[in-house]
Amino acid sequence: GKSTLLRLVLGLDDQYEGQILLDGQPISGTGPERGIVFQDHRLFPWLSVEQNIAVGLRNAPFTAAEKRALVAEHVALVGLQGFEKSWPHQISGGMAQRVAIARALCTKPQVVLFDEPTASLDPEMVSEVLQTMETLARGGMTMVIVTHEMGFARRVADRVIFMDKGQIIETASPQDFFQRARNPRLQAFLSQVLVH
């Protein structure tokens, strides 16, 4: 259900009832106002770090100089200065995921969707990706994040939604979600994943 929800918001699937609104307007198909970061970074192995970041700008209405400036800005944003010319096989998994984040942000989307962005990473690489995402959140970026990182959700989220079998079971502020969960299924889940 969670990945399907992201596909719907991204506009990859139009088989649903109701409407999906972004700033009060219904979405239709994909668009540059929505970026996505997948579990597996999906970098192009034949492109350098900066070329991978620039992929989303190919058809954007910017000059070549503006595109170079945007890429440089986003390389710095995710802390990859000095790795611009590196190939994907030359960088760590955490760095590759930060390249994917920069690529998603480069078109200046209104919202970025994250589909379990730390799921395929070694534990030591998880923190560098989460720190990058926390920086984005502090900067006001609107994000929809599918995650099992409960501590991260507690620190960063404005709203937390718990889904089970494709259904929204509970939605609340982080404080209410983690301290006053109402749904028994959510209570059981939190008792298993949170260290008290």
Side-chain angles (χ1 to χ4, degrees):
K2 300 176 295 293
S3 295
T4 299
L5 177 63
L6 291 185
R7 287 180 56 79
L8 292 172
V9 174
L10 191 60
L12 295 176
D13 191 344
D14 60 3
Q15 302 300 310
Y16 60 92
E17 295 180 17
Q19 289 185 314
I20 299 172
L21 305 175
L22 180 60
D23 278 345
Q25 299 300 313
I27 64 161
S28 176
T30 59
E33 71 281 356
R34 289 162 279 147
I36 187 154
V37 178
F38 298 98
Q39 287 182 29
D40 52 343
H41 46 74
R42 300 190 185 181
L43 300 185
F44 297 104
W46 57 89
L47 298 178
S48 68
V49 164
E50 65 185 355
Q51 290 169 329
N52 265 286
I53 293 171
V55 162
L57 296 173
R58 286 202 175 135
N59 297 319
F62 301 116
T63 66
E66 289 170 331
K67 289 178 182 180
R68 282 193 300 275
L70 276 169
V71 170
E73 173 190 337
H74 288 86
V75 164
L77 180 68
V78 298
L80 290 173
Q81 303 93 321
F83 294 93
E84 295 89 342
K85 304 294 184 196
S86 298
W87 302 102
H89 73 273
Q90 295 175 314
I91 60 177
S92 72
M95 293 169 80
Q97 196 63 304
R98 287 187 283 151
V99 172
I101 292 170
R103 180 178 57 199
L105 294 172
C106 216
T107 59
K108 303 286 187 182
Q110 292 173 263
V111 62
V112 179
L113 313 172
F114 291 85
D115 190 1
E116 298 198 49
T118 60
S120 64
L121 299 177
D122 293 334
E124 63 269 14
M125 295 177 194
V126 168
S127 65
E128 67 185 64
V129 172
L130 294 181
Q131 286 171 356
T132 299
M133 293 170 66
E134 284 192 52
T135 300
L136 296 174
R138 284 193 302 273
M141 172 57 66
T142 300
M143 300 181 285
V144 176
I145 306 167
V146 171
T147 186
H148 289 93
E149 301 285 344
M150 293 297 102
F152 172 75
R154 181 182 270 176
R155 287 190 311 275
V156 174
D158 294 321
R159 303 292 299 163
V160 182
I161 297 171
F162 181 74
M163 293 183 73
D164 187 36
K165 298 178 183 165
Q167 300 292 316
I168 293 176
I169 303 299
E170 190 159 337
T171 180
S173 69
Q175 184 173 0
D176 287 342
F177 185 91
F178 290 104
Q179 295 176 2
R180 291 180 281 281
R182 296 183 314 260
N183 183 279
R185 173 69 182 97
L186 174 57
Q187 292 169 351
F189 172 78
L190 291 174
S191 71
Q192 293 174 8
V193 298
L194 295 179
V195 177
H196 298 288

